[in-house]
Amino acid sequence: MQKRSVGPLSVSPIGLGCMSLSHAYGTPPPPAEGARLLRRALDLGYDFFDTAALYGFGGNETLLGEAIMDRRGDFVLASKCGMRGVDGKREINGRPDVLRQTCEESLKRLRTDVIDLYYLHRRDKNVPIEDSIGALADLVRQGKVRAIGLSEVSAATLRRAHAVHPIAAVQSEYSLWTRNPELGVLDACRELGVAFVAFSPVGRGFLAGGVRDPAALAANDLRRAQPRFQGEHFAANLKLLDGLETIAADARVTPAQASLAWLIARYPFIVPIPGTTNHAHLEENWGAGTVQLAPEVLAKLDQLINQQSVSGPRYPAAVQAEIDTEEFA
């Protein structure tokens, strides 16, 4: 696989999002199972692991620290601050003192002296972005962080942050069925030399065919609250899967691999980070890094699943209000 640049770092075109090993999609696997999957990922060749202080309220960082830090030299480690668990509740807080404290706590949980890529998980709209980035820049100067990233931000916020300190990466949701980055932030990334890390690149499992009946999802699965998995929206979206499966079968790949290969082909600075708790899916996703789809296949995917053909917003209104990305009318 040809490596891709994330600021001063070099990674494979497929990374691993680790969130689902600790929360969000129902009951996570036992820690021993999560550790086994992480080590299998390293054996396959994954070299870009993405976690956050929020995931499992620190539990995901602890898992990585216990499972793979003996192989620290084999991978690029990304984590996030600015959103964390406080007294059992999620809090967005971008104050410099809180970001510094969060970093210290993350370093201990991760059992490492330095985090390669450290994102501001959410822009705190009560704190100037310049103040938050200034605190992260101090962590770079102290040698605790190698590069700075932003998550779920607009092109305007990226430019403001980049003026304070070079931004290595923006992480946001991007896939065939979520096109918001095409409204501006991808162009800004290309202009500024910033990598774009795509989370939920297979539509939270939908594009892989993993959700056929939302009623079967666990009660604590976050997808139950997302409009695209509800009622008439889901019924309309489900009709897209047959076409996706046909295109993928004709190309001799799986729907998940077709979705990931579409992303990789968009720009050379995009790195998708699919997550999974399943070893077979782990291998399937990794295989997408060597898939090269013909231009006509990419065009068919683009025409089938896009902002116009997908039904429903990606977030409920309360969550949407917390993020800073450009939004379709």
Side-chain angles (χ1 to χ4, degrees):
M1 295 183 184
Q2 186 172 357
K3 298 279 188 171
R4 298 194 164 196
S5 296
V6 179
L9 311 165
S10 179
V11 300
S12 297
I14 297 286
L16 182 64
C18 299
M19 179 180 74
S20 61
L21 295 173
S22 298
H23 89 175
Y25 297 113
T27 302
E33 281 297 309
R36 194 165 70 89
L37 185 136
L38 289 168
R39 297 190 72 83
R40 176 58 180 155
L42 282 173
D43 292 342
L44 286 170
Y46 281 89
D47 59 5
F48 186 29
F49 290 72
D50 182 275
T51 183
L54 178 71
Y55 301 161
F57 287 4
N60 197 244
E61 290 181 326
T62 298
L63 174 64
L64 267 70
E66 293 176 350
I68 58 174
M69 285 307 145
D70 60 322
R71 297 176 64 174
R72 183 67 179 89
D74 294 343
F75 63 94
V76 168
L77 173 64
S79 193
K80 309 177 193 73
C81 60
M83 189 157 61
R84 59 179 183 167
V86 178
D87 296 329
K89 296 181 179 180
R90 182 170 60 89
E91 176 193 75
I92 295 175
N93 193 325
R95 297 199 330 261
D97 60 317
V98 171
L99 301 185
R100 288 190 287 268
Q101 176 190 352
T102 302
C103 182
E104 294 296 336
E105 293 169 351
S106 291
L107 288 169
K108 290 179 182 178
R109 288 191 292 261
L110 289 164
R111 302 186 182 186
T112 187
D113 296 326
V114 60
I115 297 169
D116 298 314
L117 175 61
Y118 203 41
Y119 294 97
L120 184 67
H121 204 161
R122 290 291 186 273
R123 174 192 166 194
D124 183 344
K125 297 177 182 180
N126 297 312
V127 177
I129 190 65
E130 291 81 1
D131 292 356
S132 297
I133 296 303
L136 299 186
D138 288 341
L139 294 174
V140 173
R141 285 187 282 271
Q142 294 166 15
K144 296 175 181 179
V145 169
R146 290 199 171 97
I148 296 173
L150 296 168
S151 178
E152 292 278 58
V153 298
S154 64
T157 297
L158 169 58
R159 294 181 193 282
R160 285 174 59 186
H162 196 73
V164 176
H165 186 280
I167 301 300
V170 168
Q171 180 177 144
S172 283
E173 183 176 359
Y174 189 33
S175 67
L176 282 163
W177 86 338
T178 295
R179 303 295 191 95
N180 303 69
E182 296 172 3
L183 292 173
V185 77
L186 281 173
D187 287 340
C189 285
R190 179 172 52 191
E191 175 189 335
L192 298 173
V194 175
F196 186 92
V197 177
F199 76 76
S200 296
V202 290
R204 303 185 186 276
F206 178 82
L207 299 175
V211 185
R212 294 282 183 173
D213 179 10
L217 296 173
N220 59 343
D221 191 309
L222 62 78
R223 290 170 290 189
R224 279 185 168 268
Q226 295 182 335
R228 290 180 181 176
F229 292 91
Q230 297 176 351
E232 293 182 358
H233 289 314
F234 185 79
N237 293 330
L238 193 60
K239 295 176 183 178
L240 300 172
L241 279 185
D242 287 344
L244 174 58
E245 290 174 348
T246 297
I247 293 171
D250 289 346
R252 298 184 179 181
V253 296
T254 68
Q257 289 175 331
S259 301
L260 292 168
W262 176 86
L263 267 176
I264 292 170
R266 297 297 273 181
Y267 293 107
F269 57 83
I270 291 178
V271 181
I273 53 166
T276 186
T277 61
N278 181 291
H279 284 249
H281 293 165
L282 185 76
E283 296 184 18
E284 176 186 356
N285 294 339
W286 179 247
T290 57
V291 171
Q292 291 186 319
L293 299 177
E296 58 269 23
V297 176
L298 296 170
K300 286 180 181 178
L301 291 168
D302 205 41
Q303 292 162 10
L304 176 68
I305 304 177
N306 53 59
Q307 186 62 31
Q308 286 69 45
S309 66
V310 170
S311 181
R314 69 187 182 111
Y315 283 137
V319 177
Q320 184 61 52
E322 296 177 345
I323 64 173
D324 180 47
T325 57
E326 290 89 355
E327 297 301 319
F328 287 94

